[in-house]
Amino acid sequence: MTTVIHHNPACGTSRNVLAVIRASGTEPIVIEYLDTGWTRPQLLALFAAADLTPRTALRTSKSPAAELGLLDPSVSDDAILDAMLEHPVLVNRPIVCTPKGVALCRPSETVLPLLEIALTEPVYKEDGTEIVRP
């Protein structure tokens, strides 16, 4: 199994996670989900593997979640999932899949337990903040 990152290149956290993966010596498969979209089986499988629900994977800021009425607690997971299929930006990111597991990697450090190869050099976020030191 290879490493896969469901990535939004416009997202700083997603770019940071991609940099950490690459710093481990792994070149992941990068899926720019805003371009490819999602399928229901794909999201259900990712959420199950990462122990997420549509509600816990919902991006609530910088997305149309509020405009679509998805923040109301009475909205069902099925309705949120339907909205995610129509508006891929509603899925929080990045989601990383490796042989060690699947996780929504926010904050960036969340990716570290998924790495197969230990980092040999420090990795820094775009703002200069250290993510990890080996």
Side-chain angles (χ1 to χ4, degrees), residues 40 43-48 51-60 65 70-71 75-85 90-92 95 104:
R40 181 176 294 275
L43 282 180
L44 290 173
L46 285 171
F47 294 167
D51 197 26
L52 296 168
T53 65
R55 182 168 302 283
T56 59
L58 178 65
R59 181 160 178 83
T60 57
L70 300 174
L71 303 182
V75 176
S76 71
D77 278 350
D78 250 4
I80 293 171
L81 190 60
D82 288 341
M84 289 172 162
L85 296 173
L90 289 169
V91 179
N92 216 341
I95 297 176
L104 170 60

Side-chain angles (χ1 to χ4, degrees), residues 2-4 17 21 24 26 49-50 94-105 108-117:
T2 58
T3 297
V4 176
V17 169
I21 293 168
S24 77
T26 300
I95 297 176
V96 176
C97 310
T98 76
K100 290 188 168 189
V102 177
L104 170 60
C105 294
S108 304
E109 303 81 48
T110 310
V111 74
L112 296 174
L114 298 178
L115 300 178
E116 292 193 84
I117 302 168

Side-chain angles (χ1 to χ4, degrees), residues 13-76:
T13 300
S14 197
R15 290 190 305 268
N16 289 331
V17 169
L18 181 57
V20 171
I21 293 168
R22 287 179 169 155
S24 77
T26 300
E27 184 55 40
I29 294 171
V30 178
I31 299 174
E32 293 187 18
Y33 66 90
L34 292 179
D35 295 335
T36 63
W38 301 103
T39 67
R40 181 176 294 275
Q42 178 187 36
L43 282 180
L44 290 173
L46 285 171
F47 294 167
D51 197 26
L52 296 168
T53 65
R55 182 168 302 283
T56 59
L58 178 65
R59 181 160 178 83
T60 57
S61 65
K62 300 179 185 173
S63 85
E67 297 165 23
L68 295 170
L70 300 174
L71 303 182
D72 186 309
S74 68
V75 176
S76 71

